[in-house]
């Protein structure tokens, strides 16, 4: 029962499997069959039995179906046999039709081949167009490069080269023309470098030629900026000095004129101001710098530029040998230097790294040392104060101009202090000549005036105040001579001249005041005193002239306080200032003029006494007269030895009578043998006795002995003395004749 039950459960499962095998794909039969072996032990046998039964059933069904369709199959065969003839006819028709189609298709094939060939050509054209479109920008850029080279747009050409190398050439690097272009670019770069360097050389030569024009323009601009402010400063000084002494109004008038001139120059210079860019085309420098920067060779360009500019600097700093002869020589020298450094300053500010501040400072320090050495050497040859003053003004303008561009110029102003001393020396020499001319033209007589107009003319020139003289009626006389007002005016002119150099030196009013006072003191104590000393030593100056000179000197010394006021009016520095230098005046000269007057008086007296002895109208002189004359000379010598004027050294004043003394001693002691024996010897006792003088005096004494003593021939002593005189006369004549022949 168990087995029957088990068998009943297995049969439906086998049927399901068989249905699944019949209905599913053969690829899935494996798992289905495996399930048969996985079931109960005898399941395989039973399945096979069931499978055989199923096969037999299917065979039966197939047999039934075949039996059912057999007649139809037979009928079909019969029909096919009937159709065979028609099929052959159809074959023939198809073959014929096929042949006709083949014949007709040959033309289509030819046309199709043409179409294919055209399509290939079209594809090739499309490819070529695509390649050309890829190459065309490269060719256009290269053509643009050629145009830029032809137009000398080298910086743009270099940029185009960079684009070709970085963007365009990589796209077409497989083509031969691209390789040729790539190989040509280094040559183009070298050509650009050479052309740019040539342009730079032309630029350097151009600025070398135009440096003076650039410097002249820069200095003119600096002068224009300075003129107006200086004029205003002078106007302020005028306002301060309006209440000063009426004789010192000249500064006010001059400053007003200068202020007016400054305004006129300001109006005239309102035209367009030229700059360094207007005078020089700097584009070659910019192009060359950019080109070398793009080429990565900027350092080479910088070194070359600096080296060439240093060479040009040395040429600019080399002065002409005759530069000191005219102010134009100095002006050309300064304008070239200013032009050089103005260009360098411009290059410094518009380029990055071509020149640096350290480089320009080094170059300027080198140039400044050379400039100072040149100016110090050449200015030493200047003897004209006007030329020295113009040189000073040029140096100040030169310094102010370069200071405006940031260059230190303190050493130039230190040099100006050296030149100031030289300028003062040239002024002193010039004024020495002026003073000499004034003294030569003076009559050394009090100034006569006959009316009020003449009186005002004199006091307008010289600050003379005397209430007693003012009360006197016309005509009357000033105590000084005509040279005094002229000297006073010239001293003020000297102060003006000295002031001109002190201006614009960037010094305080106190320093300028001190400079003026010191230079004026030198004029008074050295130049004027020296001229006066030379004057009183001249032969034509007698005692009357000496007295007038002393009077003149006194009035000039009294006028020093007015000169101090005059300087104060100019500098606005009060005389009460602690460090203010006072004018010494001519106080030291008044001791000297007294000595000279005393010496001149003694010399005049000695000369007059000698002339009295030798006067041709004096025919005879006795020994007694000679003795009396000797006593008079002794009195003169006593006066000289009494030190009438302090300051004489030793017996200096007594030497004025030395000629007389030796002559009288010779006659008083009658020491002719010594005189004749020692004549011409440096240690001779009677060295200053001239044989002519002794002979003249001795002949006058001989004639007196003959005429006044008729009994002299009877006295032995007188006869001997007479013979001695005659013998001495003969010897003196022989000596005099020998001197004449020797001469």
């Amino acid at each position: 029962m168990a087995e029957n039950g088990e068998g009943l459960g297995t049969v439906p499962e086998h049927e399901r499997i068989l249905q699944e095998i019949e209905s599913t794909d053969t690829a899935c039969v494996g798992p289905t069959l495996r399930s048969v072996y996985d079931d109960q032990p005898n399941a395989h046998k039973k399945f096979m039995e069931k499978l055989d039964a199923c096969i037999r059933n299917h065979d039966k069904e197939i047999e039934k179906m075949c039996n059912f369709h057999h007649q139809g199959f037979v009928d079909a065969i019969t029909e096919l046999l009937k159709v065979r003839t028609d099929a052959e006819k159809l074959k023939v028709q198809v073959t014929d039709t096929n042949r006709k189609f083949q014949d007709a298709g040959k033309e289509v094939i030819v046309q199709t081949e043409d179409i294919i060939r055209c399509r290939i050509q079209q594809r090739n054209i499309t490819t070529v167009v695509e390649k050309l479109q890829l190459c065309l920008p490269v060719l256009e850029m290269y053509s643009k490069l050629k145009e830029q080279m032809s137009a000398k747009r080298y910086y743009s050409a270099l940029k185009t080269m960079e684009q070709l190398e970085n963007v365009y050439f990589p796209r077409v690097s497989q083509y031969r023309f691209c390789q040729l272009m790539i190989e040509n670019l280094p040559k183009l770069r070298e050509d650009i470098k050479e052309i740019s360097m040539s342009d730079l050389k032309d630029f350097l030569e151009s600025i070398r030629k135009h440096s003076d024009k650039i410097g002249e323009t820069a200095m003119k601009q600096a002068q224009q900026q300075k003129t107006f402010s200086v004029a205003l400063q002078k106007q302020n000084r005028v306002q301060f000095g309006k209440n000063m002494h009426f004789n010192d109004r000249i500064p006010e008038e001059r400053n007003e004129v200068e202020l007016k001139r400054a305004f006129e120059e300001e109006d005239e210079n309102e035209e367009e101001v030229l700059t360094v860019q207007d005078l020089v085309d700097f584009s070659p420098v910019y192009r060359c710098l950019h080109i070398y920067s793009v080429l990565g060779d900027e350092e080479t360009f910088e070194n070359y530029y600096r080296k060439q500019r240093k060479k040009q600097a040395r040429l600019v700093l080399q002065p002409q040998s005759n530069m000191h002869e005219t102010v134009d020589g100095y002006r050309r020298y300064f304008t070239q230097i200013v032009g050089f450094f103005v260009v360098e300053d411009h290059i410094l500010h518009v380029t990055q790294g071509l020149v640096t501040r350290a480089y320009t400072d080094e170059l300027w320090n080198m140039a400044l040392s050379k400039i100072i050495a040149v100016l110090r050497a050449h200015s030493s040859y200047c003897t004209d104060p006007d030329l020295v003053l113009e040189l000073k003004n040029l140096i100040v303008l030169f310094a102010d101009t370069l200071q405006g561009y940031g260059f230190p110029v303190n050493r130039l102003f230190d040099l100006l202090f050296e030149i100031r001393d030289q300028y003062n020396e040239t002024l002193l020499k010039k004024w020495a000549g002026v003073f000499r001319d004034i003294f030569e033209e003076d009559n050394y007589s009090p100034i006569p005036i006959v009316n009020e107009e003449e009186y005002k003319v004199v006091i307008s020139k010289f600050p003379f105040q005397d209430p007693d003289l003012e009360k006197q009626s016309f005509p009357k006389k000033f105590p000084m001579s005509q040279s005094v007002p002229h000297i006073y005016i010239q001293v003020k002119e000297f102060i003006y001249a000295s002031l001109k150099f002190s201006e614009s030196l960037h010094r305080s009013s106190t320093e300028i005041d001190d400079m003026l006072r010191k230079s004026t003191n030198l004029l008074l104590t050295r130049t004027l005193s020296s001229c006066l000393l030379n004057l009183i030593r001249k032969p034509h100056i007698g005692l009357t002239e000496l007295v007038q000179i002393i009077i003149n000197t006194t009035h000039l010394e009294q006028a020093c306080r007015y000169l101090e006021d005059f300087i104060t009016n100019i500098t606005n520095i009060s005389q009460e200032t602690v460090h203010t230098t006072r004018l010494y005046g001519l106080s030291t000269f008044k001791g000297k003029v007294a000595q000279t007057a005393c010496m001149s008086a003694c010399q005049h007296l000695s000369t007059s006494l000698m002339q009295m002895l030798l006067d041709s109208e004096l025919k005879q002189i006795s020994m007694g007269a000679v003795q009396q004359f000797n006593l008079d000379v002794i009195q003169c010598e006593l006066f000289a030895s009494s030190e009438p004027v302090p300051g004489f050294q030793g017996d200096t004043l007594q030497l004025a009578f030395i000629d007389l003394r030796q002559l009288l001693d010779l006659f008083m002691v009658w020491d002719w043998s010594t005189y004749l024996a020692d004549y011409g010897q440096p240690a001779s006792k009677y060295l200053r006795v001239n044989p002519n003088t002794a002979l003249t005096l001795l002949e006058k004494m001989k004639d007196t002995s003959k005429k006044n003593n008729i009994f002299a021939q009877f006295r032995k002593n007188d006869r001997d003395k007479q013979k001695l005189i005659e013998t001495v006369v003969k010897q003196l004549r022989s000596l005099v004749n020998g001197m004449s022949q020797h001469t």
Side-chain angles (χ1 to χ4, degrees):
M1 290 298 290
E3 293 179 359
N4 291 333
E6 185 178 349
L8 292 174
T10 304
V11 173
E13 181 65 21
H14 290 170
E15 291 179 354
R16 182 187 65 77
I17 291 172
L18 290 174
Q19 291 177 357
E20 190 172 336
I21 290 172
E22 291 177 355
S23 60
T24 60
D25 191 5
T26 57
C28 299
V29 174
T32 304
L33 293 177
R34 189 181 298 111
S35 62
V36 174
Y37 292 95
D38 292 337
D39 290 336
Q40 292 83 6
N42 295 322
H44 176 264
K45 183 180 179 181
K46 294 178 179 179
F47 176 74
M48 293 301 294
E49 294 175 354
K50 189 66 177 176
L51 181 60
D52 291 336
C54 182
I55 291 171
R56 287 191 295 272
N57 289 333
H58 282 296
D59 289 338
K60 291 179 179 181
E61 289 179 359
I62 291 171
E63 186 178 358
K64 289 179 180 181
M65 186 172 294
C66 289
N67 292 330
F68 178 77
H69 292 289
H70 180 264
Q71 188 59 42
F73 177 74
V74 173
D75 294 338
I77 292 299
T78 302
E79 290 294 327
L80 286 174
L81 291 174
K82 292 179 179 179
V83 174
R84 181 177 181 178
T85 302
D86 295 332
E88 290 178 355
K89 294 179 179 179
L90 179 62
K91 180 179 178 182
V92 173
Q93 291 178 353
V94 170
T95 302
D96 184 57
T97 301
N98 179 56
R99 181 183 54 77
K100 291 180 179 179
F101 273 116
Q102 291 293 333
D103 294 338
K106 289 180 180 180
E107 184 177 355
V108 174
I109 290 172
V110 172
Q111 293 179 354
T112 302
E113 290 177 352
D114 291 340
I115 291 173
I116 292 172
R117 188 165 50 252
C118 289
R119 290 288 178 86
I120 293 173
Q121 291 177 350
Q122 185 179 12
R123 185 175 66 250
N124 292 338
I125 290 172
T126 302
T127 303
V128 170
V129 169
E130 291 176 354
K131 298 300 182 182
L132 286 176
Q133 288 177 345
L134 188 64
C135 295
L136 187 59
V138 179
L139 297 174
E140 289 177 348
M141 289 296 290
Y142 197 80
S143 175
K144 180 181 178 182
L145 172 63
K146 289 294 186 180
E147 293 176 357
Q148 291 170 339
M149 291 291 293
S150 300
K152 298 182 178 181
R153 297 167 54 198
Y154 302 116
Y155 179 73
S156 300
L158 289 174
K159 289 296 185 182
T160 302
M161 291 183 194
E162 286 187 352
Q163 291 181 331
L164 284 171
E165 290 178 326
N166 298 329
V167 179
Y168 293 95
F169 284 166
R171 300 175 184 174
V172 293
S173 59
Q174 67 273 22
Y175 301 111
R176 186 170 179 271
F177 78 90
C178 179
Q179 296 299 322
L180 295 176
M181 292 180 179
I182 293 174
E183 293 173 358
N184 195 36
L185 290 187
K187 182 179 181 300
L188 292 177
R189 285 193 171 95
E190 288 299 321
D191 292 342
I192 291 175
K193 287 180 67 174
E194 292 178 1
I195 295 172
S196 300
M197 186 58 69
S198 177
D199 291 343
L200 176 65
K201 292 178 180 178
D202 294 340
F203 167 78
L204 293 174
E205 180 65 19
S206 174
I207 60 174
R208 186 187 68 81
K209 294 180 179 178
H210 294 86
S211 289
D212 54 347
K213 182 63 177 177
I214 299 171
E216 181 182 354
T217 302
M219 293 175 71
K220 185 181 295 184
Q221 293 173 0
Q223 181 64 41
Q224 292 173 3
Q225 295 171 0
K226 182 180 177 182
T227 300
F228 188 71
S229 59
V230 171
L232 288 179
Q233 293 176 1
K234 290 184 177 180
Q235 185 185 33
N236 294 334
R237 288 202 296 267
V238 170
Q239 295 297 328
F240 177 82
K242 279 186 175 180
N243 296 325
M244 300 302 291
H245 195 274
F246 65 90
N247 284 323
D248 297 331
R249 291 178 181 172
I250 298 178
E252 176 181 347
E253 297 172 0
R254 291 193 176 187
N255 285 325
E256 289 177 352
V257 171
E258 292 179 1
L259 182 62
K260 182 179 179 181
R261 186 183 302 115
F263 281 114
E264 292 174 354
E265 291 178 356
E266 187 74 15
D267 295 336
E268 293 176 358
N269 294 325
E270 286 182 352
E271 59 186 13
E272 183 180 358
V273 178
L274 295 177
T275 62
V276 65
Q277 297 93 326
D278 300 324
L279 299 173
V280 179
D281 180 17
F282 286 91
S283 57
V285 179
Y286 306 148
R287 287 197 302 268
C288 199
L289 177 60
H290 291 159
I291 287 169
Y292 273 78
S293 299
V294 172
L295 295 175
D297 202 10
E298 186 176 1
E299 184 178 355
T300 300
F301 173 73
E302 292 175 1
N303 293 335
Y304 177 82
Y305 176 85
R306 296 181 184 182
K307 180 180 179 181
Q308 294 301 316
R309 289 297 279 166
K310 284 183 178 180
K311 289 182 179 179
Q312 290 186 345
R314 294 187 183 96
L315 292 176
V316 167
L317 294 171
Q318 189 66 31
Q320 296 181 351
S321 58
N322 61 342
M323 183 179 72
H324 61 277
E325 296 178 358
T326 62
V327 70
D328 290 335
Y330 288 106
R331 183 178 288 110
R332 284 193 298 270
Y333 183 67
F334 286 133
T335 54
Q336 288 179 354
I337 296 174
V338 170
F340 178 90
F341 282 99
V342 167
V343 169
E344 289 304 288
D345 180 77
H346 180 77
I347 294 294
L348 172 66
H349 288 89
V350 299
T351 61
Q352 295 181 351
L354 180 55
V355 296
T356 62
R357 176 57 67 181
Y359 161 79
T360 55
D361 289 344
E362 177 186 359
L363 196 61
W364 168 245
N365 290 331
M366 180 273 293
L368 189 58
S369 299
K370 178 67 175 178
I371 293 168
I372 291 175
V374 168
L375 293 178
R376 185 177 286 127
H378 281 261
S379 63
S380 62
Y381 296 108
C382 296
T383 57
D384 181 8
D386 294 333
L387 179 58
V388 178
L389 182 61
E390 290 182 354
L391 173 60
K392 167 259 175 182
N393 291 332
L394 280 177
I395 294 176
V396 171
L397 181 57
F398 172 75
D400 289 343
T401 302
L402 289 176
Q403 190 175 35
Y405 286 91
F407 295 99
V409 294
N410 293 335
R411 292 173 61 190
L412 285 174
F413 286 101
D414 294 337
L415 173 67
L416 283 174
F417 278 93
E418 298 179 21
I419 299 179
R420 180 200 63 188
D421 297 335
Q422 178 186 349
Y423 175 72
N424 285 337
E425 289 298 322
T426 58
L427 284 182
L428 293 174
K429 291 179 181 178
K430 178 180 179 180
W431 257 258
V434 172
F435 291 153
R436 283 195 298 269
D437 293 340
I438 292 175
F439 291 144
E440 288 293 332
E441 296 172 359
D442 195 9
N443 57 10
Y444 299 101
S445 300
I447 302 174
I449 49 176
V450 297
N451 52 43
E452 184 69 22
E453 288 74 16
E454 293 183 357
Y455 181 83
K456 290 182 179 179
V457 169
V458 175
I459 64 173
S460 67
K461 298 178 180 178
F462 183 75
F464 179 81
Q465 294 179 350
D466 187 354
D468 295 334
L469 182 62
E470 293 178 0
K471 294 176 183 179
Q472 295 178 14
S473 60
F474 294 100
K476 51 188 176 182
K477 294 182 179 180
F478 283 99
M480 65 279 188
S481 65
Q482 192 65 44
S483 63
V484 172
H486 292 324
I487 292 293
Y488 183 78
I489 290 175
Q490 286 302 319
V491 171
K492 292 203 295 184
E493 290 296 328
F494 175 87
I495 294 173
Y496 280 130
S498 182
L499 175 65
K500 287 180 181 178
F501 196 94
S502 300
E503 291 177 334
S504 305
L505 293 185
H506 304 294
R507 297 293 174 176
S508 64
S509 298
T510 303
E511 290 176 298
I512 294 177
D513 181 87
D514 187 62
M515 294 177 194
L516 291 179
R517 293 177 185 273
K518 288 181 178 179
S519 59
T520 306
N521 272 331
L522 284 176
L523 178 71
L524 296 175
T525 60
R526 193 174 77 182
T527 305
L528 182 56
S529 294
S530 178
C531 290
L532 286 169
L533 288 174
N534 292 332
L535 173 66
I536 62 179
R537 290 170 182 166
K538 291 186 176 181
H540 68 277
I541 299 297
L543 292 177
T544 303
E545 288 80 4
L546 283 174
V547 172
Q548 185 62 55
I549 290 173
I550 294 176
I551 294 173
N552 292 347
T553 305
T554 301
H555 286 285
L556 285 173
E557 186 172 11
Q558 292 173 351
C560 284
R561 62 187 181 92
Y562 296 103
L563 292 175
E564 289 184 339
D565 294 339
F566 180 73
I567 295 175
T568 299
N569 183 28
I570 293 175
T571 62
N572 296 334
I573 299 299
S574 174
Q575 299 181 35
E576 284 72 24
T577 304
V578 176
H579 300 290
T580 300
T581 304
R582 307 308 296 265
L583 297 184
Y584 303 137
L586 301 173
S587 57
T588 56
F589 166 77
K590 292 176 63 180
K592 290 182 180 179
V593 75
Q595 293 175 5
T596 304
C598 186
M599 175 61 76
S600 298
C602 291
Q603 290 175 343
H604 177 74
L605 183 58
S606 176
T607 303
S608 299
L609 291 173
M610 182 68 76
Q611 291 175 350
M612 184 185 298
L613 287 175
L614 304 177
D615 192 354
S616 59
E617 295 182 359
L618 180 64
K619 304 298 183 181
Q620 301 173 359
I621 186 171
S622 64
M623 192 63 190
V626 173
Q627 293 174 348
Q628 184 59 50
F629 194 86
N630 181 55
L631 294 175
D632 295 337
V633 173
I634 291 175
Q635 292 299 319
C636 293
E637 291 174 330
L638 291 174
F639 170 78
S641 62
S642 65
E643 196 178 4
V645 175
F648 285 111
Q649 295 181 354
D651 55 354
T652 302
L653 194 57
Q654 293 172 283
L655 292 176
F657 301 97
I658 187 64
D659 293 351
L660 273 175
R661 171 49 47 211
Q662 290 187 7
L663 179 63
L664 292 174
D665 286 348
L666 178 60
F667 277 86
M668 292 301 296
V669 299
W670 210 251
D671 193 9
W672 293 104
S673 58
T674 304
Y675 173 75
L676 293 171
D678 295 343
Y679 179 77
Q681 300 297 322
S684 175
K685 181 179 179 181
Y686 305 102
L687 180 64
R688 302 183 69 88
V689 177
N690 189 292
N692 281 318
T693 303
L695 178 59
T696 301
L697 185 58
L698 196 58
E699 287 180 338
K700 291 181 180 183
M701 293 181 68
K702 182 182 73 169
D703 293 340
T704 301
S705 299
K706 288 182 178 180
K707 294 181 180 180
N708 293 341
N709 193 354
I710 60 176
F711 299 103
Q713 56 183 339
F714 300 107
R715 294 196 294 267
K716 186 177 184 300
N717 291 337
D718 292 336
R719 289 198 308 268
D720 294 341
K721 186 175 183 181
Q722 187 66 28
K723 290 180 179 179
L724 179 59
I725 292 176
E726 292 177 355
T727 301
V728 173
V729 168
K730 290 179 181 180
Q731 292 176 340
L732 287 175
R733 283 176 180 170
S734 177
L735 181 61
V736 171
N737 292 333
M739 290 174 58
S740 300
Q741 293 176 0
H742 178 71
T743 304

